[in-house]
Amino acid sequence: MDPAQLRLQAHAQRDAYLELLEQLVRIETPSRDRDGAAVFVQHLASVLTADGWRVTREARDEVGDVLLARLAEDAEGPATLLLCHYDTVHPRGSFGSQPWRLQDDVAAGPGSVDMKAGIVTGVLAPRLLRHAGSGPAGPLTLLVTSDEEIGSAASRALIEAEAQRHARVLVLEPSRDDGALKAGRKGVAGYRLELRGRASHAGLAPHDGASALVELAHLVLALTALGDDALGTTVTPTVASAGTATNVVAEEADLRLDVRVPSLTEAERVDAAVRAYVPRDPRVRLSVSGGLNRPPMEPNEANQALLRRAQALAVAAGWQVGGAVVGGGSDGNFTSALGVPTLDGLGSVGGGAHTREEHVRVGATLDRLGLLASLLTEA
Ligand SMILES: [Zn+2]
């Protein structure tokens, strides 16, 4: 199929795109809201079934069902896994009674760009091909999970098992705000550090106390210094608490730490340093929990090759798309770490993810719909 033709046909599907996007955005689906999830999965399953997908659902304990849909199962080309999530970070009602807004080229609402538009792109790309009398070159699987925003604990095993059955993974998360695709993402680690010292009267016997708070101050600075700007490793203390009253030496302190790493080597370096930290006051005990949540999606040769292929198809369709390595993690981190070629950021373009300004830029997103359809025809 001619990429320029598919791009035109994608733009001709604008109304259908917005109709489905509005339906999906209006069903609010914060991560642990099983009622919203049930309505959402039911609706998406009926849309996919009508399009000829074979749909299965898997129940999960504390989050909504995971949806798996398969199409063109007998096709002989390379199998492609389209990876999406339907949970959002927005509590129900945070966008008021009218969560959906459309004005000119901008469609807005909770989870619009992150990532219900990506789901719509995944649904419509094969439909576009079918309308053009074509289809995906190989078997196509659409995996739509329910807990990406809370770490993917309930879906990680399935994501990894499915990735290993496919030749490549296309993650339909949004592009970077400037439109760039994502051939690499940093790994994400999170830690909790608890300090326990000795309480004492701050006036009568301050030196009998062992201040967990003073240790916390040293700890914060020491940990922050583990960052490496040149490599792109960041170590960010994000939440802290300590003490009980103005006149009491703090017995306990608690710190949360967000770590982003470009490589496993960096993940291991920071992890070792965090665990090796020794409080200055020997009376204060430190305990560390947590670790690497998502391995880095390193911009390896396989991922870069997939990016170059997508960029060439965009050029053939008359536009250009950049490539970037970004800080935020996605489920593509898991698939890339298994060595399965992974390209992310294909689903939509917009901005304001995780804020009330979240929105989709429709025209640029339709370019990606055409691009995804082109990628699916590649043998
Ligand atoms: Zn998100």
Side-chain angles (χ1 to χ4, degrees), residues 320-379:
Q320 294 207 327
V321 64
V325 176
V326 299
S330 84
D331 287 334
N333 291 51
F334 298 136
T335 64
S336 177
L338 291 172
V340 184
T342 300
L343 181 61
D344 198 344
L346 275 163
S348 62
V349 189
H354 294 203
T355 75
R356 283 177 43 80
E357 277 66 56
E358 174 166 7
H359 65 275
V360 173
R361 289 195 281 126
V362 180
T365 296
L366 293 172
D367 284 340
R368 271 146 191 85
L369 171 58
L371 176 59
L372 178 62
S374 292
L375 274 167
L376 295 182
T377 61
E378 299 259 292

Side-chain angles (χ1 to χ4, degrees), residues 100-124:
W100 169 257
R101 280 185 296 118
L102 175 64
Q103 191 169 23
D104 301 323
D105 189 51
V106 175
S112 53
V113 79
D114 183 14
M115 60 172 290
K116 288 176 176 174
I119 298 173
V120 177
T121 300
V123 174
L124 291 201

Side-chain angles (χ1 to χ4, degrees), residues 186-187 226-234 260-263 265-267 269-270 296 299 325-326:
K186 290 181 188 176
L226 293 172
D228 186 324
D229 285 342
L231 292 177
T233 299
T234 59
R260 309 281 164 147
V261 288
S263 65
T265 315
E266 277 294 278
R269 177 184 69 80
V270 173
V325 176
V326 299

